[in-house]
Amino acid sequence: MATKGRTLFEKLIYVGIATFFLWPFVQLWSIKAIPLVNSDTHLRASVALENLMESALERSFEASGYSENYKPLSGYEDISLMGKVEALPVNEFPDCLLLRAQVKWGSFPFSKTLSLEYLKSRTRP
């Protein structure tokens, strides 16, 4: 007796679930490794995002709990790149800080956003 294969709907559900969980892990990597459309803009935005995160990591832990609004990034005026950095204390762990850097470009219905998060902690003597 032949077994019934999976329906197209079931296959699409599995692909959707896998994409939902895997997309955050490959977002920044895919921009650099597999450029698709307008790759120069994406590559420049990802470099600006990494630079924002590095500048946020250079700040001291004591200067935590800040949040910036989007502001234009110098050197990226031609693509209207805007960036912001947030540092949010983690309530469950007093010595942890969530750093989030974001860049966005484009107009309202077609705007694109890249984000990068880092969990920063310190130890007490």
Side-chain angles (χ1 to χ4, degrees), residues 51-117:
N51 291 339
L52 272 178
M53 181 57 80
E54 286 178 9
S55 67
L57 290 173
E58 290 174 356
R59 296 180 185 177
S60 68
F61 192 88
E62 287 73 22
S64 63
Y66 58 89
S67 181
E68 301 174 353
N69 291 326
Y70 280 105
K71 59 184 178 184
L73 297 176
S74 61
Y76 298 95
E77 292 85 7
D78 57 332
I79 58 173
S80 302
L81 191 66
M82 311 263 301
K84 78 173 183 175
V85 176
E86 295 175 316
L88 307 168
V90 180
N91 294 332
E92 292 82 16
F93 304 103
D95 292 331
C96 286
L97 186 66
L98 178 68
L99 295 174
R100 181 181 304 134
Q102 293 180 330
V103 294
K104 72 175 185 174
W105 70 97
S107 58
F108 166 64
F110 304 108
S111 64
K112 296 181 182 178
T113 304
L114 289 177
S115 61
L116 193 59
E117 293 182 351

Side-chain angles (χ1 to χ4, degrees), residues 31-62:
I31 289 170
K32 290 185 174 182
I34 312 167
L36 296 175
V37 178
N38 205 0
S39 62
D40 183 48
T41 303
H42 285 87
L43 184 60
R44 291 178 64 202
S46 67
V47 169
L49 178 65
E50 290 174 347
N51 291 339
L52 272 178
M53 181 57 80
E54 286 178 9
S55 67
L57 290 173
E58 290 174 356
R59 296 180 185 177
S60 68
F61 192 88
E62 287 73 22

